[in-house]
Amino acid sequence: MKKIFKVLGYLVLGVLFICVALFTYVSFAWNKSYDAPFPSVSVSTDSTVLARGQYLIYGPAHCATCHIAPEDYDAMSAGELVPLAGGNEIVIPPGIFRPRNLTPDVETGIGSLTNEEVARVMRFGVGHDGRVLFPFMPFENMTEEDLNAIISFLRSRPPVSKKIEASDYTFLGKAVLAFGMIKPTEPGATPKKALKQEATAVYGEYLANSVANCAGCHSPRDLKSGEFLGPKFSGGLVFEEKDAFFTTPNLTPDPETGLLATWNEDSFVTRLKSGLVHEGTPMPWSSFAMMDEVDIRAIYRYLNSLPPTKNLIEKTVVMKE
Ligand code: HEC
Ligand code: HEC
């Protein structure tokens, strides 16, 4: 009997030791710094470039959906250029994430960041302080022209002084970082210089994967680390919001389980243009409603060119009790 207690005692001590070691490691290692290159940027004040930047930011790249306060969504939907001064919070198990003030204010915005630091956030997912960022902004393969246009537009706006607190990580979030489960992103092939905006599957592939992040939400993923767990665009990612659970539909052309099997290109355009139906959905409907029709057609053509994947999503919205 005594022996068993002794063994148990060692076991408890062992587990305690491992917990303390884990805790200590995570609290020291979570905010390690990464080296990633600073992409070169060329900023312009040309009106065509600024218009392109504005279109991407408020439309398909939906920086605005995350980087403005939720109470300003209506003004944004009405076409107002609401300043990208932050004020939104994304609350998920790894932490409370607060998109920054992107206006050129020196104290509270990106006025103190170089263009290359902003570009590094977009291409490599590494923040100005060297921290790897959770994958909210998968713009690593954005074309050079579009990246330049976005930064040019941000620089052209009036500064707005609004202090945004740093994001707060939970223990889980810190552990994900400490154990290197999120790494700086790598632009796949060298990013293209430019792509022609036209209603083709090639341009749709670019929008859905590298600009509008349809892939990021409409694919099975681990919500802790962002890792992809199954075929892209097959849906099934679940978001718990205040009043409901939202599940992304399968966007592949599977005749039985693919949402778009019964939609033609025109009904897809109409649906995207008509905006939000379910209050509280994480899909950035207001930004996408501002997309040009050619972009929506391009995305439809791309989605229809994907290999069909069977994944039945019974309901995309389930209200909480
Ligand atoms: C899905 C939400 C989301 C979208 C879309 C988004 N951002 Fe962000 N952004 C965030 C969050 C969250 C942070 C804060 C990250 C943190 O503190 O870990 C952030 C931080 C940043 C930062 C500062 C990073 C640093 O150095 O600390 C820049 C620059 C930025 N975003 C630019 C952009 C641009 C440009 C776009 C559009 C092309 C964009 N973001 C779209 C959520 C988003
Ligand atoms: C931040 C996550 C997110 C992003 C990004 C996103 N979606 Fe969604 N999407 C959802 C969720 C959640 C739903 C289910 C709830 C709803 O219909 O709003 C949904 C629903 C849909 C629907 C079905 C609407 C209906 O009437 O049943 C379509 C079509 C769709 N998304 C297409 C897209 C396309 C195309 C893109 C990229 C341009 C995209 N989504 C980007 C989360 C996202």
Side-chain angles (χ1 to χ4, degrees):
M1 254 337 236
K2 263 192 186 153
K3 212 169 167 191
I4 287 185
F5 282 125
K6 218 170 168 181
V7 171
L8 269 178
Y10 281 128
L11 214 68
V12 169
L13 264 179
V15 168
L16 260 177
F17 177 77
I18 291 172
C19 287
V20 170
L22 189 79
F23 191 79
T24 316
Y25 175 72
V26 167
S27 14
F28 280 103
W30 73 275
N31 62 352
K32 56 184 160 200
S33 207
Y34 286 83
D35 275 332
F38 291 99
S40 59
V41 182
S42 87
V43 162
S44 158
T45 51
D46 178 88
S47 60
T48 325
V49 173
L50 296 182
R52 175 72 182 164
Q54 175 184 326
Y55 170 67
L56 290 167
I57 287 174
Y58 288 90
H62 63 278
C63 320
T65 295
C66 291
H67 285 271
I68 70 173
E71 56 269 26
D72 289 335
Y73 285 167
D74 287 345
M76 178 183 78
S77 301
E80 206 179 294
L81 287 186
V82 178
L84 303 158
N88 189 6
E89 283 190 342
I90 304 170
V91 185
I92 50 174
I96 303 177
F97 293 87
R98 303 191 179 90
R100 262 177 89 99
N101 178 343
L102 297 184
T103 72
D105 186 59
V106 176
E107 310 266 294
T108 63
I110 58 165
S112 59
L113 270 56
T114 63
N115 294 330
E116 290 70 24
E117 282 173 323
V118 177
R120 188 172 74 158
V121 170
M122 295 171 70
R123 285 252 188 266
F124 294 94
V126 173
H128 64 289
D129 51 3
R131 251 181 329 117
V132 68
L133 303 175
F134 272 69
F136 292 107
M137 299 174 280
F139 303 119
E140 60 269 24
N141 290 315
M142 194 171 257
T143 63
E144 280 180 29
E145 203 173 86
D146 285 347
L147 189 110
N148 287 335
I150 284 179
I151 299 178
S152 300
F153 179 79
L154 292 176
R155 291 296 183 210
S156 75
R157 303 302 296 158
V160 174
S161 168
K162 181 171 173 188
K163 185 160 170 44
I164 302 298
E165 295 300 327
S167 300
D168 279 319
Y169 296 88
T170 56
F171 183 74
L172 172 74
K174 288 182 178 173
V176 164
L177 293 175
F179 290 104
M181 287 163 77
I182 297 180
K183 294 253 182 331
T185 44
E186 288 279 344
T190 318
K192 294 195 172 57
K193 280 224 156 348
L195 266 176
K196 193 157 184 278
Q197 185 185 14
E198 57 187 7
T200 57
V202 171
Y203 189 64
E205 191 267 341
Y206 171 63
L207 289 175
N209 289 283
S210 308
V211 178
N213 200 23
C214 319
C217 289
H218 284 270
S219 307
R221 289 178 87 178
D222 180 342
L223 268 184
K224 293 193 277 304
S225 63
E227 192 191 341
F228 284 86
L229 304 173
K232 283 195 177 171
F233 302 101
S234 62
L237 191 60
V238 181
F239 295 83
E240 179 175 0
E241 301 293 339
K242 201 163 115 278
D243 300 320
F245 290 93
F246 294 94
T247 308
T248 50
N250 178 354
L251 298 181
T252 73
D254 182 62
E256 279 146 38
T257 64
L259 173 82
L260 303 182
T262 54
W263 298 25
N264 62 25
E265 194 172 300
D266 287 334
S267 48
F268 184 72
V269 172
T270 310
R271 178 66 196 90
L272 268 110
K273 281 281 179 198
S274 57
L276 167 147
V277 171
H278 306 289
E279 207 54 58
T281 172
M283 171 140 161
W285 286 106
S286 335
S287 293
F288 292 160
M290 286 186 245
M291 279 202 280
D292 290 343
E293 198 177 312
V294 289
D295 287 16
I296 304 176
R297 290 189 186 279
I299 293 173
Y300 184 84
R301 288 175 198 186
Y302 166 64
L303 293 173
N304 263 306
S305 75
L306 290 170
T309 302
K310 246 187 211 0
N311 187 19
L312 182 66
I313 309 299
E314 300 265 6
K315 276 201 169 110
T316 55
V317 186
V318 175
M319 299 308 288
K320 288 184 182 171
E321 292 302 307

